[in-house]
Amino acid sequence: MSIRFCLSAFAFLLMTMPNANTAKHTFVVKDDGFALDGKPFQIISGEMHYPRIPKEYWRDRMLKAKAMGLNTICTYVFWNVHEPKPGKFRFSDNADLAEFVRTAQKEGLWVIVRPGPFVCSEWEFGGYPAWLLKDPNLVVRSLDPKFTRYVERYMARLGKELKPLMISQGGPIIMAQVENEYGSYGHDHAYMAWSEKILIDSGFDCQLYTSDGASDAMLSGGTLPHLPATINFGGDAEGQFANLAKFRPNGPRMNAEFWCGWFDHWGSEHSTTSVEAHTKDLKWMLGKGYSVNFYMFHGGTNPGFMAGANWDGGYKPDTTNYDYDAPLNEAGEPTAKFESFRSAIAAHLGKKLPELPKPLPRIAIPAFELKPYADLEQAIVRKAKSEKPKSMEEMDQAFGYILYRKTVGPFEGELKIEGLCDYALVLANGKPLGELLRSGQTKLNVSLGEDTKLEILVHNLGRINFGHKLPAERKGILGGVFLGDVELLGWETSSIPCDSLKQIKHTGPVQSSCAFYRGAFDLKQTGDTYLDMSKWGIGAVWVNGRNIGRYWRIGAQQSLFLPATWLKKGKNEIVVLDLLGGTERMIEGVLDPVWSKD
């Protein structure tokens, strides 16, 4: 009898897990909840984003999700990752979204996708590709046909990747989100209806839904009457769901973004939130039978130049780390929140949860020296002359740096930049005069001799990813440069995108402290580490040719996470672009992140 019982239980387990070898499933809205194969199903999900985690670590993070009691993984889909150039699509390596979904299925997890095309997520331009901005008349996040034709092409291509993975096809994708928190942006229901249609036409054969804040204005602007309306919040669960009930008396109840942490801006302290308060809300939601998605379960890292920015009384760029004070930290290690949430979920489910996988190895790297390698001049990929400075978008440039040059002088007085986006280092004959910021100091007192070579190096710190300033978020100098009241005309604009270190032409000695520095270190064993950048200025770091992100002395982040998968036994090469002069050019790898308050 016991053998028959065990065989029956095993068969039922196989039927309910999202495994490629099982029959197709159904997932629908039923009463005030969801139903999987006709039976009530409570989603306990965690958000984690494939481009923010090394591909080799996807499975490790998913096993940890199961160990916390999650049954679902949720991810945004990032248009600018998949179509970096118009019509040139990329779904390989860390952009292999289909493999990310298949990995979740192999580990017995269901999947929710949020294809946007706008995703916010503290990600560069909210996920939109920067090349959309080259046409000054194109309006993103609207029914502008110049915009919608690009979205339709992209979604059709994305559908080819994901359609075979829909639950209707035997895959693990149970839900897909229509647009993203549109009620925080507008009230164009025709645009929302078009956004739904595009998903359907592209093969998203699963349960569609919307996601917004719980206020009446946000819900009325961002929902569609026939789709489940989910809500996003980080506290007062009972009050937030009461607001939803007033707007939508019937339907499933789900916190689609349970903000159990928060992100960081450059120049601020590292964000932390209350374990106890979040656990209390979690227990209340689970007890009510409501579904929940932890945002973030694991944040990871904003790779390369992909961190976005916000506008809150001024321009506030996001840091490279996306640690988010989440249950798993940036390196994928469990935190106090993980343990607290795990206990709450285990108690709710009334069962023992899977054990955590073994911790990944960490290493320290002894301090090593970097030496000047190349001037910025040697990294220029194209130049153009014009009366007024050209923007990055006019130069067909998405990220990195742009250099403006003009011979001026003599002059003594105020230099002013209008339309600076975002950080500028001003130099005269190669010597730094000072730094300027988009929100902050935009003027500088200068003393310039005759025939001075004036240079303004502008660093794109990330396009705004949320709010009404997003549609016109171009980079470089968008206005003019003035000496006193006189606007300077006749500029040479040079593009330095830093897409690849192979673009650097090492042709001679380094003449400026604003330069690339190169070094190497040897490893007998690889492991995760943090590069301590606290003694450097502002710039970016490449390890073995891979851009691991921006650093900036203003903090709070003072280190860069370097995963073992990007290292190798033997010699490893590092290149640092630093815009500010300094005497110490040493770096070491440490076991824990370095913050300003340390």
Side-chain angles (χ1 to χ4, degrees), residues 554-576:
I554 65 174
Q557 177 181 353
Q558 297 286 3
S559 56
L560 288 172
F561 177 60
L562 178 55
T565 185
W566 296 345
L567 295 170
K568 56 188 177 181
K569 292 181 181 180
K571 183 179 179 181
N572 293 263
E573 184 179 80
I574 182 169
V575 173
V576 175

Side-chain angles (χ1 to χ4, degrees), residues 126 225 402 470:
I402 193 162
L470 177 141

Side-chain angles (χ1 to χ4, degrees), residues 386-391 394 404 416-421 456 458 474-482 487-489 491 493:
S386 58
E387 282 296 280
K388 294 176 73 82
K390 285 182 171 289
S391 69
E394 290 175 299
Y404 302 96
K416 178 177 66 175
I417 300 179
E418 292 184 350
L420 170 61
C421 294
I456 303 173
V458 177
R474 293 170 177 83
K475 294 299 181 181
I477 295 178
L478 309 182
V481 181
F482 296 80
E487 182 176 5
L488 299 180
L489 300 175
W491 289 90
T493 301

Side-chain angles (χ1 to χ4, degrees), residues 56-171:
E56 295 84 352
Y57 287 170
W58 288 348
R59 182 174 180 270
D60 172 80
R61 304 323 192 233
M62 290 176 184
L63 290 174
K64 290 169 180 173
K66 291 176 65 177
M68 202 177 88
L70 306 186
N71 56 29
T72 305
I73 292 296
C74 183
T75 185
Y76 277 125
V77 181
F78 302 87
W79 185 2
N80 53 12
V81 168
H82 297 300
E83 194 180 359
K85 299 288 184 181
K88 305 295 183 181
F89 294 99
R90 176 176 173 259
F91 288 94
S92 59
D93 301 323
N94 241 75
D96 193 346
L97 172 59
E99 181 60 23
F100 179 82
V101 175
R102 286 191 293 266
T103 302
Q105 184 174 28
K106 290 173 185 176
E107 297 307 325
L109 291 160
W110 301 100
V111 176
I112 299 171
V113 293
R114 310 171 73 186
F118 168 76
V119 299
C120 185
S121 192
E122 293 71 61
W123 189 265
E124 154 73 24
F125 199 25
Y128 288 136
W131 49 261
L132 290 172
L133 293 166
K134 186 172 182 179
D135 181 351
N137 298 313
L138 183 151
V139 182
V140 300
R141 218 173 182 190
S142 78
L143 288 175
D144 177 359
K146 293 188 295 295
F147 170 67
T148 57
R149 67 187 178 99
Y150 288 128
V151 176
E152 290 166 3
R153 181 181 68 185
Y154 162 65
M155 284 296 183
R157 179 62 183 84
L158 179 61
K160 292 181 180 179
E161 296 290 317
L162 295 184
K163 184 177 180 179
L165 298 168
M166 297 293 152
I167 189 168
S168 61
Q169 304 298 313

Side-chain angles (χ1 to χ4, degrees), residues 220-524:
S220 63
T223 57
L224 291 169
H226 56 285
L227 294 182
T230 68
I231 53 175
N232 304 335
F233 58 83
D236 185 25
E238 188 171 359
Q240 301 284 355
F241 277 107
N243 290 340
L244 174 61
K246 292 177 184 177
F247 176 82
R248 183 73 63 86
N250 301 311
R253 298 291 184 248
M254 180 174 179
N255 181 357
E257 284 192 11
F258 179 32
W259 302 327
C260 57
W262 206 244
F263 53 90
D264 294 340
H265 291 129
W266 289 113
S268 67
E269 292 186 1
H270 176 49
S271 296
T272 57
T273 60
S274 169
V275 178
E276 294 77 14
H278 292 318
T279 304
K280 180 181 178 181
D281 274 339
L282 175 62
K283 290 179 177 178
W284 184 89
M285 289 186 286
L286 293 177
K288 287 288 184 180
Y290 296 168
S291 292
V292 62
N293 175 50
F294 292 93
Y295 192 99
M296 300 288 297
F297 165 68
H298 171 50
T301 305
N302 292 315
F305 295 133
M306 299 309 288
N310 288 277
W311 187 275
D312 182 11
Y315 174 77
K316 295 184 177 181
D318 301 316
T319 59
T320 296
N321 89 77
Y322 201 60
D323 177 87
Y324 217 88
D325 192 33
L328 293 186
N329 68 12
E330 184 180 11
E333 299 165 326
T335 67
K337 283 181 179 174
F338 181 97
E339 298 300 333
S340 184
F341 297 164
R342 185 174 194 256
S343 295
I345 295 170
H348 171 69
L349 296 176
K351 67 178 184 180
K352 184 179 179 181
L353 298 176
E355 296 296 324
L356 279 164
K358 292 182 179 180
L360 295 171
R362 288 190 294 169
I363 61 170
I365 301 173
F368 57 93
E369 184 180 7
L370 285 79
K371 295 184 178 180
Y373 169 56
D375 281 329
L376 285 173
E377 178 72 30
Q378 297 161 9
I380 292 172
V381 297
R382 69 184 67 88
K383 296 181 180 181
K385 292 186 177 181
S386 58
E387 282 296 280
K388 294 176 73 82
K390 285 182 171 289
S391 69
M392 281 190 175
E393 292 74 19
E394 290 175 299
M395 297 290 288
D396 290 320
Q397 180 179 348
F399 312 116
Y401 308 81
I402 193 162
L403 180 64
Y404 302 96
R405 284 176 171 156
K406 179 176 174 58
T407 301
V408 300
F411 175 81
E412 187 161 348
E414 185 179 79
L415 180 149
K416 178 177 66 175
I417 300 179
E418 292 184 350
L420 170 61
C421 294
D422 302 303
Y423 166 99
L425 179 67
V426 181
L427 304 101
N429 296 326
K431 304 294 184 182
L433 297 181
E435 303 167 85
L436 299 176
L437 296 171
R438 175 175 179 175
S439 291
Q441 183 178 348
T442 58
K443 303 175 182 179
L444 190 67
N445 287 324
V446 298
S447 179
L448 307 175
E450 190 171 353
D451 293 331
T452 295
K453 183 175 72 172
L454 178 66
E455 296 178 304
I456 303 173
L457 178 67
V458 177
H459 181 9
N460 167 5
L461 290 172
R463 291 178 179 84
I464 287 173
N465 54 255
F466 181 82
H468 291 91
K469 288 187 175 291
L470 177 141
E473 182 61 1
R474 293 170 177 83
K475 294 299 181 181
I477 295 178
L478 309 182
V481 181
F482 296 80
L483 291 180
D485 296 327
V486 178
E487 182 176 5
L488 299 180
L489 300 175
W491 289 90
E492 179 185 80
T493 301
S494 299
S495 178
I496 310 174
C498 293
D499 295 333
S500 169
L501 294 181
K502 295 178 181 179
Q503 296 171 340
I504 298 176
K505 302 174 180 65
H506 187 59
T507 56
V510 175
Q511 303 293 329
S512 172
S513 59
C514 175
F516 293 90
Y517 297 80
R518 185 171 64 176
F521 55 93
D522 289 312
L523 293 178
K524 293 182 179 180

